[in-house]
Amino acid sequence: MMYQRKSEDRGYAEFGGWLKSMHTFSFADYYDPKFMGYRDLRVINQDWIAKSSGFPAHPHRDMEIITYVLKGAVEHRDSLGNVGQIKAGEIQTMHAGTGMRHSEYNPSETEDLQLFQIWIMPDVVGATPGYTQQSFTREQKLNQFKLIVSKDGREGSQKINQDADLYASVFTEGYEQEFALRSKRGAWLQLADGELEVNGQILKSGDALVVEEENLKIKALKETEFLLFDLR
C-alpha cells in the first residue's frame, strides 16, 4: 500500500507575519479526520519563523518531540534549565513525560528559521522529562540512511520512548538506494527539499509518502534532503 500526501494539500497557518506553518496532520485550528497521524507519528509541522521571533514558553506532556532544523538556528529554553541553540543539521529531542515547558526563538536578526517539528506518541506515560541535542553533519547523511532517532539509541542516535526509527538523508542527483522495511512496519517519507522517485511515485519539496511494502526503491531526481520514519 502506498499513499502520497502532497505539500499543497497540507494545512496552512500564518500568525502575525512571524510564523508560517504547514501541518501534515491535524493540528491546532487545522482539522482533517483523515489525517490525525500515522501509526505513532502524530505531528509533522514544517515551520518558517521570522528573524527575532518565536514561540513563548508553553507546556507539553506525554509526547516525544523532535526538532529538525533545516535552515538557521533555534534558541531553546526549558523548565529543566536547558538553554542552547540548535543549528541547521542538528536535532533536539524532548521527552515531555510528566510535563515540561519550553520556548523556541529565532535569535537571528537577518535570517529566517526553517524546521520540522515532529511529535511521536510515547510507549509509556508519566516518564521522567528529558532533553538532548545532537549534530549530524551533511557527510553523515550524504547518500545513505543516517539513523538519528531510535528506541535503543543504536548507531549513535537519539533515544526516544517509542519503537520508531528516524533516518535523515541527503541524496545527490541520480543516486538511488533501497530501504528494507521489517515485517508489519510502515514507512513515512517526508521531503524537505528536492525531488525523489519512490517505488514509481514522484515526490517534490514538502511532499510525503506512506509505504507499506517490503522495499522502498528511492532515487533522487535532483539533490534532495528527506526524513524517513520506520514505524511499528
Side-chain angles (χ1 to χ4, degrees):
M1 186 274 283
M2 290 196 301
Y3 179 83
Q4 188 170 351
R5 176 72 155 144
K6 289 187 174 294
S7 176
E8 60 267 25
D9 294 335
R10 294 179 292 177
Y12 177 74
E14 186 171 347
F15 299 94
W18 68 270
L19 171 66
K20 297 179 181 178
S21 185
M22 301 294 290
H23 302 328
T24 296
F25 304 117
S26 295
F27 186 86
D29 292 334
Y30 169 65
Y31 176 72
D32 186 332
K34 299 188 299 297
F35 292 97
M36 298 301 297
Y38 175 68
R39 298 192 179 215
D40 293 312
L41 179 59
R42 177 60 187 86
V43 169
I44 305 179
N45 291 343
Q46 188 171 3
D47 292 341
W48 290 262
I49 301 173
K51 57 193 177 192
S52 302
S53 302
F55 297 94
H58 55 281
H60 293 284
R61 66 177 298 130
D62 289 327
M63 191 67 67
E64 302 295 296
I65 300 173
I66 301 159
T67 301
Y68 183 88
V69 181
L70 295 165
K71 295 180 181 178
V74 58
E75 185 172 287
H76 168 94
R77 295 176 180 267
D78 66 41
S79 55
L80 303 179
N82 298 297
V83 178
Q85 289 191 10
I86 303 93
K87 300 177 182 178
E90 296 184 332
I91 65 165
Q92 70 170 23
T93 303
M94 291 199 317
H95 319 293
T98 55
M100 61 186 295
R101 296 176 61 85
H102 78 135
S103 63
E104 298 160 293
Y105 189 76
N106 179 2
S108 175
E109 297 180 355
T110 60
E111 184 179 18
D112 286 350
L113 163 66
Q114 185 183 165
L115 55 82
F116 279 126
Q117 187 76 244
I118 298 158
W119 293 8
I120 294 177
M121 301 290 292
D123 57 10
V124 59
V125 297
T128 301
Y131 171 88
T132 54
Q133 73 179 71
Q134 188 171 347
S135 176
F136 293 95
T137 66
R138 171 184 165 86
E139 288 70 29
Q140 287 177 293
K141 297 178 282 189
L142 189 63
N143 293 334
Q144 60 185 309
F145 302 108
K146 175 57 182 175
L147 184 65
I148 62 172
V149 171
S150 68
K151 171 74 172 177
D152 56 8
R154 68 189 186 280
E155 300 176 22
S157 59
Q158 298 273 284
K159 287 185 179 182
I160 59 168
N161 294 308
Q162 184 52 264
D163 181 12
D165 293 337
L166 172 56
Y167 298 85
S169 298
V170 177
F171 279 13
T172 54
E173 183 175 353
Y175 182 78
E176 54 186 306
Q177 188 172 343
E178 291 191 13
F179 183 89
L181 276 177
R182 287 174 280 164
S183 177
K184 299 182 180 179
R185 305 280 288 192
W188 183 281
L189 191 150
Q190 178 70 54
L191 266 66
D193 184 61
E195 187 172 347
L196 294 179
E197 180 178 347
V198 183
N199 290 14
Q201 298 286 315
I202 304 300
L203 306 178
K204 299 185 178 182
S205 298
D207 289 352
L209 187 70
V210 169
V211 182
E212 294 181 353
E213 299 181 357
E214 184 175 343
N215 289 298
L216 285 72
K217 297 180 180 180
I218 303 173
K219 179 178 181 179
L221 304 182
K222 59 176 68 171
E223 182 164 301
T224 304
E225 182 172 11
F226 64 95
L227 299 177
L228 176 59
F229 299 82
D230 181 345
L231 303 161
R232 67 183 178 98

